Amino acid sequence: MFSIDLVNAALQFRYVKNLWNSVVDYFNQIKGLFSAFKIIDAVDILFVAVMLYVIIRVIRDTRAMQLIKGIILFAVLYFGVTFLGMSASSYILRSLFSNILIILVILFSPEIRNILEEMGKGAARKSFFQALISGKGMEITETNKAIDAVCKACVDMSDSKTGALIVFEDATLLGDVIESGTILNAKVTKELVENIFFPKAPMHDGALIIRDGRAYAAGCILPLTRDTNISSSLGTRHRAAIGLSQQSDAIVAVVSEETGNISIAENGTLKQNISSGVMRDILINRFIPADDNENASLFKKLTRRFKKNG
C-alpha cells in the first residue's frame, strides 16, 4: 500500500514538473521572440495591416464580399474532404486551389483596379481618419424620417401613376450599384423623392439608394433578375427590384407606372399591391428594431458606421 502511494506521488510530481517546464519554455519562447523583435518588424506588420485594410475597405463596399465568403466555404470544404480521405473530391478541389491566384485576379480585377486607384488618390487614408474622428453611429431618428418621407412620396406617386424605384440599403453595401448613378448624399424629403422620379427629370429612370437614412445616390442601374418564372406582366422596374433583392439584403420599393400599385421586393420575393402602411411596417421592422436603445445598439451603430466609411 505504501509503495503504491509512493508511485502515485512520484507520478504526480513528474506531471507537475513537466507542466512547470512547459510553462517556462513557453515564456522563454515569448522572451526570445521579443528580444529578436526589431523596428523593421514593426514596420513590416504595420505595412501588412494597412494593405489588408485597403483591400477590405474596397471589397466591403461591393458584392465581391459574397465571393470571398464563397471561397472561404470552398476552403473549409476542401479541408473536410481531405480529412475524410475523399480522393476524387480532394483532387478536384486541389486543382482549383492550385490556380487560386489566377482565379482571384480574374474575379476581382475591378476591385484590384479600384485599390490601385485609391492608393494613388490617397482616398483610403482620408476615409480612415474620417472613420476614426467622426465615429458617429447611424441616427435612428433620421432613418425613421426617411421611411416616413418615402412612404408619403410613394402614396403621391401611386395616385399620379409615377414610376419609382427606391432601394433601402442594409448590411450588404451597394458600392458598385451606386457608382452607376449620381451621388446626392442629401436629406430625404417627400419633395426630393417626387422630384427625382418626375417623368421629365434626368434621373427618373434609375433607382434611388437610401443609405443610413439619407438619399445617397440616384439614377442607379440595378441588376435584372434571371428568374424565368417571373410573371411576364412585370416590367423592368419590378424585375430590377427582384434582381437586387436576390443579390443583397436590401429592401426595394417599386411604384408601378402602369397601375400605380406599390410593391416591395425582399429576399427575392415581390409583395405586390400593398398599402403605404404595410410598406412602412416592413421598413421599420428591418431598420428600426424594437429593442434599439443607446446602450444596447451603440456597438452595432459604430460598427455599421465604420463599415460604410471604411
Side-chain angles (χ1 to χ4, degrees), residues 62-63 66 167-177 209 222-223 240-252 265-269 286:
T62 68
R63 290 193 300 273
Q66 298 177 4
V167 178
F168 283 82
E169 183 188 60
D170 200 0
T172 303
L173 303 184
L174 305 174
D176 47 351
V177 174
I209 308 295
L222 306 187
I242 296 173
L244 184 65
S245 69
Q246 289 173 335
Q247 299 182 21
S248 70
D249 58 356
I251 294 182
V252 189
E266 182 179 10
N267 298 325
T269 302
R286 170 69 74 85

Side-chain angles (χ1 to χ4, degrees), residues 15-81:
Y15 173 77
V16 173
K17 182 179 179 181
N18 292 336
L19 180 61
W20 173 254
N21 290 335
S22 299
V23 173
V24 171
D25 291 340
Y26 176 75
F27 280 102
N28 286 335
Q29 290 178 4
I30 295 178
K31 181 180 179 181
L33 178 63
F34 280 101
S35 63
F37 192 81
K38 301 178 181 178
I39 296 179
I40 191 64
D41 297 322
V43 175
D44 187 20
I45 294 174
L46 180 62
F47 178 76
V48 173
V50 171
M51 291 300 297
L52 289 176
Y53 167 77
V54 173
I55 293 172
I56 293 174
R57 193 186 75 84
V58 175
I59 291 178
R60 269 186 166 180
D61 202 36
T62 68
R63 290 193 300 273
M65 198 65 184
Q66 298 177 4
L67 292 177
I68 292 291
K69 294 177 182 179
I71 293 174
I72 294 175
L73 179 61
F74 266 108
V76 173
L77 184 62
Y78 171 70
F79 286 114
V81 297

Side-chain angles (χ1 to χ4, degrees), residues 110-171:
E111 284 72 25
I112 293 174
R113 184 175 63 250
N114 289 340
I115 290 173
L116 296 177
E117 290 177 354
E118 298 238 355
M119 290 177 64
K121 294 186 296 184
R125 173 170 47 85
K126 179 181 178 182
S127 178
F128 178 74
F129 284 109
Q130 284 179 344
L132 289 180
I133 294 173
S134 62
K136 186 178 179 181
M138 180 185 65
E139 293 293 341
I140 296 298
T141 54
E142 190 171 9
T143 301
N144 201 357
K145 291 179 181 178
I147 292 174
D148 186 63
V150 169
C151 290
K152 290 180 179 179
C154 285
V155 171
D156 290 348
M157 292 185 292
S158 175
D159 293 338
S160 61
K161 292 185 178 181
T162 301
L165 190 59
I166 305 171
V167 178
F168 283 82
E169 183 188 60
D170 200 0

Side-chain angles (χ1 to χ4, degrees), residues 61 169 174-183 209 211 216-217 220:
D61 202 36
E169 183 188 60
L174 305 174
D176 47 351
V177 174
I178 290 173
E179 288 179 356
S180 65
T182 302
I183 301 295
I209 308 295
R211 168 182 284 187
Y216 194 78
C220 301

